[in-house]
Amino acid sequence: MSKLQGKVALITGSGRGIGRALASKLASEGARVVVNDLDEAPAEEVVASIKKAGGQAVACAGSVTAPGFADRFVEAGMGTFGGLDIIVNNAGYTWDSVIQKMTDEQFQAMLDVHLVAPFRILRAAAEPIRVLAKKEAQEGREVFRKIVNISSMSGTGGNAGQANYSSAKAALVGLTKTMAKEWGRYKVNVNCVAYGFIDTRLTQAMENEGTKVTIEGRELQVGVPGATRKMLPAMVPLGRAGTPEEAAGAVYLFCIPESDYVSGQVLLVGGGL
């Protein structure tokens, strides 16, 4: 039997990159997946791909920072599939600047997407998890649920030009460790994966004006300066960037039964950094 057969997994930011790779991975192991992306088209595309491969999935598009999103997201899992077993808080982006040029809006935006949104999603999931766990305990069953928050090595070690992003990602580690203590009684494992250099659109080399994305009405430049991008592989002991599939594999480790006694931990995924 597949390791995640029948489980219900909610993954934010799963229309592209690491989130997409993870959605496909969990679905291939039997999980029923709620796919989220800021835009509807990528989310529906991932859902179609999972269904074509014989899996089950549903889309829940929209910004994780939008009012009411957390309740809608949790309901997508509970209402569609009747359960809630795995939550991965993966959605996010970068908006870099040195501190003297960083605006309040820029700093707050990173807190909102990387910290406040995961907090709201976990808060919305609290009552369903409590009710499910109580029922299972009364039946004499021990069922483990999995929360994986996606941080960054910018949050564990800092990174120049990312005071906003690194602060939010560091705070997410604190939320992770607190929830591991609060939800242990419900048999919920709460862990964190902190990524280093992973090959996604956020780490592509900036050429001329770089890659621009539109997020919540803002046109933002994302990527890494070309000269820095060329140096990065040499800084990684394994000699290259990680792939989205490799990054997803680290999250998968926290979702399977083999990690049922692991909670409150931060796994660095940086190729040896």
Side-chain angles (χ1 to χ4, degrees):
M1 179 182 289
S2 299
K3 289 183 181 290
L4 300 177
Q5 194 64 45
K7 300 293 186 182
V8 179
L10 283 62
I11 310 171
T12 64
S14 47
R16 302 175 173 91
I18 296 168
R20 177 175 184 146
L22 179 62
S24 298
K25 175 65 176 175
L26 298 192
S28 74
E29 288 291 335
R32 296 167 289 173
V33 183
V34 178
V35 177
N36 160 259
D37 193 89
L38 188 62
D39 303 312
E40 189 171 351
E44 292 291 357
E45 184 181 337
V46 175
V47 168
S49 175
I50 289 172
K51 288 182 175 179
K52 186 177 180 180
Q56 297 183 62
V58 65
C60 182
S63 171
V64 296
T65 65
F69 173 82
D71 291 325
R72 183 164 64 88
F73 190 48
V74 170
E75 177 56 28
M78 293 295 296
T80 305
F81 298 124
L84 180 59
D85 301 286
I86 298 167
I87 299 174
V88 182
N89 284 305
N90 169 74
Y93 61 100
T94 54
W95 191 0
D96 298 349
S97 183
V98 290
I99 195 166
Q100 65 268 27
K101 296 180 180 178
M102 187 173 290
T103 65
D104 286 356
E105 179 192 16
Q106 200 170 353
F107 194 87
Q108 188 63 50
M110 293 295 95
L111 294 181
D112 288 344
V113 70
H114 295 289
L115 179 63
V116 178
F119 157 73
R120 287 175 175 168
I121 289 168
L122 297 184
R123 183 177 62 183
E127 184 62 11
I129 286 175
R130 186 193 69 81
V131 170
L132 290 166
K134 182 179 179 181
K135 180 175 182 292
E136 290 151 1
Q138 290 172 342
E139 295 169 350
R141 297 190 296 128
E142 190 176 58
V143 178
F144 285 87
R145 290 182 167 79
K146 311 285 187 170
I147 308 297
V148 186
N149 294 320
I150 304 303
S151 184
S152 166
M153 290 178 70
S154 292
T156 60
N159 194 34
Q162 293 190 321
N164 52 357
Y165 180 76
S166 61
S167 295
K169 289 300 194 183
L172 190 59
V173 172
L175 178 63
T176 298
K177 291 181 176 291
T178 295
M179 295 315 302
K181 289 180 168 61
E182 283 195 19
W183 282 0
R185 59 181 173 156
Y186 298 139
K187 308 301 180 185
V188 181
N189 304 130
V190 188
N191 291 294
C192 187
V193 170
Y195 290 126
F197 181 27
I198 307 297
D199 208 357
T200 69
R201 64 177 180 160
L202 297 183
T203 60
Q204 296 304 301
M206 290 183 184
E207 300 295 344
N208 299 321
E209 295 185 354
T211 301
K212 290 190 176 181
V213 298
T214 301
I215 298 176
E216 298 181 345
R218 307 183 186 102
E219 187 177 63
L220 305 177
Q221 179 177 302
V222 297
V224 178
T228 303
R229 183 63 167 76
K230 289 178 182 177
M231 290 167 40
L232 281 172
M235 298 167 60
V236 179
L238 290 183
R240 62 169 175 81
T243 67
E245 289 73 23
E246 288 168 330
V251 179
Y252 172 71
L253 296 176
F254 280 139
C255 295
I256 57 178
E258 284 83 348
S259 63
D260 282 353
Y261 204 66
V262 179
S263 198
Q265 302 305 304
V266 181
L267 176 61
L268 304 185
V269 182
L273 279 174

